């Protein structure tokens, strides 16, 4: 026990507002620690189950019919490579059909139509379906395609994905088990080494696809189909109620509804499908905010039904923690606002010994995140390199750079604010095409980078203030917030007005296309 003189009371504070601020600060840390503990439980499950690989079932005596759906919207720079990759899929003749579900409003429609005509003339079972009414966005396109599909299995690939020819040969045999409703592959990234931003994104997503998906799938918990690079059983889609567009994450919504109906999902981490990471920080923030908002929407929609279902309690608790994970962003925003004033209150009000808890919390958080992000590197390459360790601070800082945009998404979901589906623009390996793409699909929410820079300024002021009062244990959190806010804000503005404006190919037409 602490001596009585060290026990803080209201009398040691200047007023009750100080007491309330310090109390709120530690309540925020306590709430965030719940998700930190959840992350550690996923790490433990992964370490325990990582060697229990899903066995490859034998070749089926008769291959089922498969429909490959390719949802596209204004993807002029990558659509042809997507269609060509789909037509290279190795599958028995007469058992495969490919649907190009195009909602495009720009030149993509013309490019895709011509590519389909060329590929169909070469004997590929591909056809083009275009919607002029984008009701339901991606979910609406998938539902419209399903109504015309002939396959009992539905394979899905987003515009930037390039499945290997043997993808269906490796996934379809798992459906010999009649309880299997979905087979999901891991994502890999052809532009991972393009920049610091893409390397960080690769590290963040690897943690999901290696640690989280393996831990959930192999421990009998619900996990989500990721919307692409997977195969769904048509009966599972229909029994679950079909594609619905009342959330921004139609894939997670369908996944949980199907699993609540008893369908089993299979995850294959050894099967990777190449894709493209957003090279623009604004696109990265848009993507992450959509995922954050959609997952909260899905939780609000399904948790009452899931909690009352006849399921093991651990499945329900895991689903609740999964759906609420993005609540950490508003909590981090509140933490960033409270660090400086509460550190000063503790330093000047006789609670200086409590400052040490900030350092303990930071080190504990950093340690758990280090394990979370480095384990996938060891699993995929058999080793952890020094540059992986060096990338950790950048990964944590980029996470801080998502606080404002993701917090808005989470709060919009809680308040029931409906917003359109904002797609993530895909670029091209060609430098010329990439420059034009950045101009056409540049950032629209200009407030985000300016808000990040304002938050960086506030963090810098807070660090200066803490240094003046020698409240050093609270400085690491603020340093992380400062780096994340400043990097994401300045990079977004540079990509908008610097790199884009001055690198457009001569003669290129700069008629902007809608991102939504």
């Amino acid at each position: 026990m602490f001596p009585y003189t060290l026990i803080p009371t209201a009398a040691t504070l200047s007023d009750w507002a100080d007491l309330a601020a310090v109390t709120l600060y530690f309540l925020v840390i306590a709430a965030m620690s719940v998700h930190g503990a959840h992350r550690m439980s996923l790490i433990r499950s992964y370490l325990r189950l990582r060697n229990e690989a899903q066995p490859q079932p034998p070749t089926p005596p008769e291959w089922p019919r498969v429909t490959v759906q390719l949802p596209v919207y204004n993807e002029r720079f990558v659509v042809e490579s997507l269609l060509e990759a789909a037509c290279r899929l190795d599958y028995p003749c007469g058992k495969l059909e490919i649907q190009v579900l195009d909602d495009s409003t720009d030149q993509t429609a013309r490019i895709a139509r011509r590519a389909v005509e060329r590929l169909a003339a070469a004997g590929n079972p591909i056809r083009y379906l275009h919607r002029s009414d984008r009701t339901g966005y991606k979910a609406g396109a998938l539902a419209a395609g399903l109504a015309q599909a002939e396959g009992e299995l539905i394979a899905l690939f987003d515009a930037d994905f390039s499945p290997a020819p043997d993808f269906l040969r490796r996934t379809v045999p798992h459906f010999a088990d009649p309880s299997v409703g979905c087979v999901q592959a891991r994502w890999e990234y052809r532009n991972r080494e393009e920049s610091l931003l893409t390397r960080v994104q690769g590290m963040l997503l690897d943690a999901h696809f290696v640690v989280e998906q393996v831990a959930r799938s192999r421990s009998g918990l619900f996990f989500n189909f990721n919307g692409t690079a997977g195969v769904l059983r048509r009966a599972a889609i229909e029994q679950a109620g079909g594609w619905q567009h009342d959330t921004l994450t139609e894939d997670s919504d369908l996944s949980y509804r199907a699993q609540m109906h008893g369908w089993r999902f299979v995850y294959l981490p050894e099967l990777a499908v190449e894709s493209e990471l957003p090279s623009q920080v604004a696109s990265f923030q848009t993507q992450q905010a959509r995922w954050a908002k959609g997952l909260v929407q899905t939780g609000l929609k399904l948790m009452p039904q899931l909690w009352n279902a006849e399921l093991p309690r651990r499945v329900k608790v895991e689903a609740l923690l999964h759906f609420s994970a993005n609540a950490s962003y508003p909590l981090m925003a509140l933490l960033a606002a409270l660090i400086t004033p509460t550190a000063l209150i503790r330093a000047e009000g006789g609670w200086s010994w409590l400052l040490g808890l900030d350092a303990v919390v930071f080190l504990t958080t950093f340690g758990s995140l280090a394990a979370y992000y480095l384990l996938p590197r060891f699993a995929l390459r058999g080793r952890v390199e020094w540059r992986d360790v060096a990338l950790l601070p950048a990964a944590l800082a980029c996470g801080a750079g998502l606080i404002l945009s993701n917090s808005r998404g989470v709060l919009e979901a809680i308040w029931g604010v409906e917003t359109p589906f904002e797609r993530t623009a895909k670029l091209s390996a060609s430098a010329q095409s990439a420059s034009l793409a950045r101009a056409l699909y540049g950032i629209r929410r200009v407030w985000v980078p300016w808000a990040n820079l304002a938050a960086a300024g506030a963090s810098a002021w807070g660090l200066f203030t803490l240094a003046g009062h020698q409240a050093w244990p609270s400085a690491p959190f603020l340093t992380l917030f400062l780096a994340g806010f400043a990097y994401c804000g300045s990079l977004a503005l540079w990509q908008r007005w610097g790199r884009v404006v001055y690198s457009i190919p001569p003669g290129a037409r700069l008629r902007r296309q809608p991102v939504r």
Side-chain angles (χ1 to χ4, degrees):
M1 294 180 60
F2 290 107
Y4 179 79
T5 56
L6 292 180
I7 298 177
T9 65
T12 64
L13 299 171
S14 58
D15 51 36
W16 284 100
D18 290 348
L19 177 60
V22 173
T23 302
L24 179 60
Y25 177 75
F26 283 106
L27 286 175
V28 169
I29 289 178
M32 292 178 62
S33 70
V34 173
H35 287 287
H38 175 231
R39 182 169 54 248
M40 291 303 299
S41 72
L42 290 174
I43 291 173
R44 287 195 299 270
S45 295
Y46 166 76
L47 291 173
R48 179 170 53 88
L49 302 168
R50 67 187 185 279
N51 295 322
E52 297 183 9
Q54 183 77 25
Q56 179 66 22
T59 300
E62 182 176 355
W63 291 89
R65 188 164 180 81
V66 174
T67 296
V68 176
Q69 293 188 323
L70 310 174
V72 174
Y73 175 63
N74 291 358
E75 301 287 4
R76 57 189 287 190
F77 301 102
V78 295
V79 65
E80 279 194 271
S81 61
L82 167 69
L83 306 189
E84 290 167 358
C87 289
R88 287 194 295 268
L89 288 169
D90 176 24
Y91 204 69
C93 182
K95 296 286 188 177
L96 179 68
E97 70 165 343
I98 302 171
Q99 294 180 335
V100 181
L101 308 176
D102 188 11
D103 285 358
S104 298
T105 57
D106 67 354
Q107 296 181 34
T108 304
R110 176 178 56 83
I111 296 170
R113 193 185 300 272
R114 289 181 178 178
V116 169
E117 292 172 354
R118 171 173 57 84
L119 293 167
N124 294 289
I126 186 170
R127 60 182 177 136
Y128 179 83
L129 303 173
H130 186 270
R131 292 195 313 161
S132 56
D133 178 7
R134 291 195 67 219
T135 299
Y137 303 103
K138 180 181 176 180
L142 294 174
L146 187 64
Q148 302 184 44
E150 299 176 358
E152 60 182 280
L153 301 179
I154 310 296
L156 294 175
F157 300 100
D158 281 348
D160 57 313
F161 280 73
S162 300
D166 66 347
F167 178 85
L168 294 177
R169 297 275 185 177
R170 296 177 65 180
T171 53
V172 169
H174 291 276
F175 289 93
D177 182 345
S179 69
V180 171
C182 172
V183 176
Q184 173 68 56
R186 180 172 56 85
W187 297 2
E188 192 46 82
Y189 318 101
R190 54 179 164 269
N191 66 329
R192 179 193 287 265
E193 299 301 323
E194 178 182 318
S195 66
L196 175 63
L197 177 64
T198 55
R199 289 195 294 273
V200 164
Q201 290 179 69
M203 175 174 277
L204 299 178
L205 287 170
D206 281 347
H208 170 72
F209 281 99
V210 175
V211 176
E212 288 188 23
Q213 294 291 66
V214 168
R216 291 188 178 111
S217 63
R218 295 183 183 176
S219 57
L221 300 171
F222 285 3
F223 72 97
N224 61 295
F225 166 59
N226 293 108
T228 178
V231 184
L232 294 159
R233 193 186 295 271
R234 180 174 188 154
I237 299 174
E238 294 173 343
Q239 187 180 5
W243 293 105
Q244 299 175 8
H245 53 85
D246 52 351
T247 75
L248 293 179
T249 48
E250 72 290 326
D251 44 13
S252 296
D253 177 23
L254 177 63
S255 299
Y256 276 82
R257 285 187 280 116
Q259 288 171 102
M260 281 192 284
H261 278 82
W263 293 100
R264 187 169 69 87
F265 281 30
V266 174
Y267 179 59
L268 303 178
E270 68 277 7
L271 176 58
V273 181
E274 277 199 346
S275 63
E276 179 184 302
L277 293 163
S279 60
Q280 289 185 294
V281 69
S283 295
F284 171 53
Q285 289 172 322
T286 296
Q287 178 195 68
Q288 295 297 314
R290 185 182 73 240
W291 290 353
K293 179 175 181 177
L295 199 59
V296 174
Q297 288 176 322
T298 302
L300 294 173
K301 172 184 175 180
L302 297 181
M303 269 312 300
Q305 178 184 351
L306 193 151
W307 198 260
N308 292 321
E310 294 184 2
L311 294 168
R313 182 168 293 274
R314 66 188 191 92
V315 172
K316 300 176 182 180
V317 172
E318 167 60 31
L320 177 61
L321 291 170
H322 185 197
F323 288 138
S324 63
N326 288 294
S328 60
Y329 287 101
L331 290 174
M332 282 193 287
L334 192 54
L335 183 70
L338 289 171
I339 285 178
T340 300
T342 57
L344 296 180
I345 291 170
R346 286 174 284 165
E348 297 177 353
W351 282 18
S352 57
W353 65 276
L354 278 177
L355 286 172
L357 289 181
D358 287 2
V360 173
V361 171
F362 181 83
L363 291 174
T364 302
T365 302
F366 186 86
S368 68
L369 288 172
Y372 185 62
Y373 292 134
L374 293 180
L375 275 174
R377 294 288 82 206
F378 184 81
L380 297 174
R381 291 196 313 234
R383 66 187 187 281
V384 175
E385 298 178 352
W386 69 266
R387 67 173 187 166
D388 298 322
V389 179
L391 194 59
L392 277 173
L396 298 180
C398 275
L402 296 173
I403 288 175
L404 299 182
S405 50
N406 281 16
S407 294
R408 174 174 174 169
V410 170
L411 294 176
E412 285 179 345
I414 294 172
W415 294 333
V417 178
E418 294 186 7
T419 51
F421 183 101
E422 293 190 72
R423 75 191 240 301
T424 306
K426 309 303 188 304
L427 306 183
S428 167
S430 161
Q432 183 177 12
S433 297
S435 297
L436 178 58
R438 290 186 183 100
L440 293 173
Y441 303 133
I443 61 174
R444 302 295 186 272
R445 294 182 175 178
V446 184
W447 70 268
V448 175
W450 288 115
N452 274 314
L453 290 179
S459 300
W461 172 84
L463 272 177
F464 179 79
T465 303
L466 292 181
H469 290 77
Q470 296 188 354
W472 302 113
S474 301
F477 274 124
L478 266 184
T479 303
L480 189 66
F481 289 138
L482 170 60
F485 290 139
Y487 174 73
C488 289
S490 58
L491 180 60
L493 293 179
W494 178 69
Q495 288 179 330
R496 177 180 172 85
W497 288 313
R499 184 175 182 177
V500 171
V501 171
Y502 298 109
S503 62
I504 299 304
R509 297 180 63 188
L510 299 185
R511 183 171 62 87
R512 286 185 177 268
Q513 305 296 337
V515 173
R516 293 178 179 176

